Amino acid sequence: MPATSTPDQLQPPPRDTIFHLSLDPQPPSPAAPTLILLHGLTSSHLEWSLVIPHLQPHYHLLLVDLPAHSRSSSLPPPYTIPSMADQVASIIQSHARNSQAHVVGMSMGGFVTLNLARRYPSLCLSAFVSGATPFEGITRWLARNNWVLYYGFWLSNLIITDGMYDWMCRVMDMKEHRELRREIVRNVKWEVIRDVYGSIVEEFTVEGMAEVGQVRCLSVAGGKQDQVEVTRRVGQVWKERGLTGRLGSRAFVVRGAVHAWDLQFPDVFAGGIRSWVERDELPVQFEVLE
C-alpha cells in the first residue's frame, strides 16, 4: 500500500452518493451497533440476502451498491478501490450509529474495507474481509492485464445459461440466486474491471498489509478457491508487526469454502461475523493461519 493517503481527519470528497439500504435490528434496539456489508466485483447488495437473517436480530445493517454497480451504476468514474472507500466513508459518517461501523467485505468489498480501515480508522470498529489478499503470481499478471479478465467475465456471462448456472451452484454447494445473477451480468463493465484490478495491484502488497495498523482485522480465505498461503503470510505480517498482540488481527481459512462462500455457508459466514464483532471464539470451521 502506498504511504500517501487521505488523512482520517479529512471528509470524503463531495460526490453523488451511492445507494444504501438501512435495516434496523429486529426486534428494535437503539444500542445495536452498525454493520456495513460490502459486496464483490460485479455483484450487488443482494449478495448478502442469505446472511442478513442471521445478523438482523442483533445489528443495525447498512447495505450498499458500490459505485458502478446496480443501483449505483450511474455514478461517475473513477471506480478505484480508494474512491469506493471514500463513498463508503461518507455513508458511515451519515448513516451508521455514532458514525462508526463494523465493516464486512467480500472480495472487492474486502479490498475496499482494508483501504477504508487504513485511511479512515476512526470510522471502523473492526474489519472482517474474505477473499481479499494481495495478488501474486498468475493472479497479479491477470490483474495487470485486466482486459483478459474483462473478456473472461463477458464470455462467461454470454455462454453460461440458467441451467449451467444451476448446475454450477450444485457443484459448489452454493445457494441459487437468480436475481443476483441478473445483476452480475448487467454489472460487467470495462471501466470497472480496469479501475478495480488496476488499483488493487497499485494499493496492496503483503508487507503493506501492516499499514492497516489501527483497526482490528480478520482476513479469511475460502479454502477451495482463495489464496490460502498468501492469506497465511498476511497473518504472519500482522503477528510480526505486533498487530495480533495489540489489536487481535489474524488470518483464517475455512477449508470447504469457495470464494463466494457467503452464498455457500451463509450461517457460518454470519456466525464468523458475529463472533468477530463480539470478540467471541470463532466457529469451528475457522482454522487459524500462522
Side-chain angles (χ1 to χ4, degrees):
M1 299 178 187
T4 58
S5 61
T6 303
D8 185 50
Q9 291 76 17
L10 295 183
Q11 297 292 318
R15 295 180 62 193
D16 295 337
T17 304
I18 56 175
F19 166 82
H20 78 278
L21 179 65
S22 177
L23 300 177
D24 288 325
Q26 297 299 326
S29 173
T34 296
L35 302 187
I36 187 165
L37 307 177
L38 308 180
H39 61 77
L41 180 63
T42 77
S43 190
S44 84
H45 73 279
L46 297 175
E47 179 176 333
W48 302 108
S49 59
L50 302 178
V51 174
I52 288 169
H54 302 283
L55 296 177
Q56 193 174 3
H58 313 284
Y59 307 104
H60 167 231
L61 302 180
L62 286 175
L63 312 175
V64 303
D65 285 343
L66 291 166
H69 290 74
S70 296
R71 298 191 190 183
S72 299
S73 60
S74 62
L75 266 67
Y79 304 123
T80 61
I81 295 299
S83 66
M84 290 187 181
D86 289 339
Q87 287 278 356
V88 174
S90 180
I91 292 294
I92 293 174
Q93 289 173 323
S94 300
H95 299 285
R97 301 275 173 86
N98 301 314
S99 296
Q100 291 183 306
H102 297 278
V103 189
V104 178
M106 165 59 73
S107 195
M108 177 188 75
F111 289 110
V112 175
T113 298
L114 293 167
N115 185 276
L116 183 80
R118 177 171 64 88
R119 296 171 55 231
Y120 298 99
S122 69
L123 303 182
C124 303
L125 296 170
S126 72
F128 179 113
V129 304
S130 182
T133 48
F135 295 158
E136 295 193 348
I138 186 62
T139 307
R140 189 172 182 85
W141 182 89
L142 287 169
R144 287 192 177 278
N145 295 272
N146 40 50
W147 60 271
V148 179
L149 291 168
Y150 168 72
Y151 284 109
F153 277 103
W154 179 82
L155 185 61
S156 65
N157 286 338
L158 184 68
I159 65 176
I160 294 176
T161 64
D162 286 345
M164 290 177 65
Y165 167 74
D166 294 344
W167 174 81
M168 291 168 65
C169 287
R170 288 194 296 272
V171 167
M172 293 189 288
D173 197 26
M174 291 173 59
K175 311 298 186 290
E176 298 171 8
H177 199 316
R178 291 285 185 87
E179 187 179 1
L180 175 60
R181 171 170 155 74
R182 288 193 293 271
E183 292 298 308
I184 289 172
V185 171
R186 284 195 286 263
N187 287 337
V188 175
K189 305 179 183 76
W190 161 241
E191 296 85 354
V192 182
I193 304 294
R194 177 197 63 203
D195 285 3
V196 167
Y197 280 107
S199 62
I200 290 172
V201 169
E202 292 297 322
E203 285 278 316
F204 294 91
T205 65
V206 171
E207 290 299 319
M209 294 290 284
E211 293 180 19
V212 189
Q214 299 183 58
V215 177
R216 185 172 63 100
C217 295
L218 178 148
S219 179
V220 59
K224 287 188 174 181
Q225 294 179 336
D226 290 337
Q227 300 182 101
V228 175
E229 290 309 309
V230 179
T231 307
R232 184 192 308 276
R233 286 168 52 209
V234 168
Q236 290 171 344
V237 165
W238 283 341
K239 186 173 183 178
E240 291 165 2
R241 301 296 179 86
L243 303 183
T244 301
R246 180 165 57 84
L247 298 172
S249 296
R250 302 189 82 178
F252 294 83
V253 60
V254 176
R255 291 292 179 186
V258 297
H259 180 63
W261 66 285
D262 50 339
L263 296 167
Q264 180 189 19
F265 306 131
D267 54 339
V268 179
F269 198 100
I273 294 170
R274 285 197 62 198
S275 297
W276 186 248
V277 167
E278 306 297 337
R279 297 178 179 266
D280 290 335
E281 185 174 346
L282 289 164
V284 294
Q285 294 88 344
F286 285 70
E287 175 187 327
V288 69
L289 294 172
E290 290 183 347

